[in-house]
């Protein structure tokens, strides 16, 4: 219908990534709760570029590899989730980011809430923690 915005035009796309280790994942605090590091995809950039920009802004790290993990959808929001390998993962994170213990994820106030299923701990977990190169045991 002319003049009526399509549902697709109303949908915002966010690219975010799981940065994990055996006992924790990185979450970033924002106005709506805790989320994975990432960014909204701007009209002029790719999903991967938005992901790299968001991770760099949140924790100051460079993404060396991003593997598609899943999509989650909330009304008006499509979240593209990647499993990330960083050039190096900082032990101390700048605020508002922090390492969340895996055993606390079930009660973490996540945004969007659909991320809970992505971070659900299982055997094996839905996400695969990666260590920076040279830190394998």
């Amino acid at each position: 219908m002319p003049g009526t915005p399509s549902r697709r035009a109303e949908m915002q796309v966010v690219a975010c990534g799981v940065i994990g280790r055996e006992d924790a994942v990185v979450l970033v605090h924002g106005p709506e709760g805790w989320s994975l590091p990432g960014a909204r995809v701007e009209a002029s950039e790719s999903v991967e570029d938005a992901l790299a920009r968001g991770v760099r802004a949140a924790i100051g790290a460079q993404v060396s590899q991003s593997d598609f993990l899943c999509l989650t959808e909330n009304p008006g929001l499509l979240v593209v989730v990647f499993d990330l390998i960083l050039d190096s993962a900082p032990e101390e994170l700048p605020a508002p980011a922090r390492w969340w213990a895996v055993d606390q994820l079930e009660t973490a106030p996540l945004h969007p809430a659909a991320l809970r299923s992505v971070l659900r701990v299982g055997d094996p977990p839905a996400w695969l923690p990666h260590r920076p190169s040279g830190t394998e045991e």
Side-chain angles (χ1 to χ4, degrees):
M1 194 175 205
T4 304
S6 70
R7 180 170 191 248
R8 188 158 183 83
E10 296 171 11
M11 181 74 67
Q12 292 190 30
V13 178
V14 172
C16 61
V18 178
I19 301 167
R21 56 186 188 200
E22 293 81 10
D23 61 346
V25 295
V26 174
L27 294 179
V28 179
H29 191 262
E32 298 179 29
W34 292 90
S35 61
L36 295 170
R40 292 192 191 279
V41 179
E42 302 295 333
S44 62
E45 69 183 340
S46 69
V47 171
E48 291 85 1
D49 288 345
L51 175 65
R53 175 175 53 82
V55 170
R56 195 170 43 253
I59 65 170
Q62 298 295 318
V63 174
S64 61
Q65 182 178 335
S66 59
D67 298 317
F68 174 78
L69 189 58
C70 67
L71 293 173
T72 65
E73 186 176 2
N74 275 14
L77 182 65
L78 180 67
V79 181
V80 185
V81 184
F82 293 86
D83 185 26
L84 300 182
I85 298 175
L86 305 178
D87 287 342
S88 63
E91 194 60 38
E92 295 292 323
L93 297 171
R98 74 171 230 205
W99 288 103
W100 271 74
V102 169
D103 60 1
Q104 295 177 351
L105 292 175
E106 195 61 37
T107 59
L110 296 175
H111 177 75
L115 289 178
R116 190 166 319 287
S117 64
V118 174
L119 296 174
R120 188 164 315 282
V121 178
D123 188 21
W127 50 275
L128 302 172
H130 291 287
R131 294 186 200 147
S133 302
T135 62
E136 286 81 10
E137 296 177 349

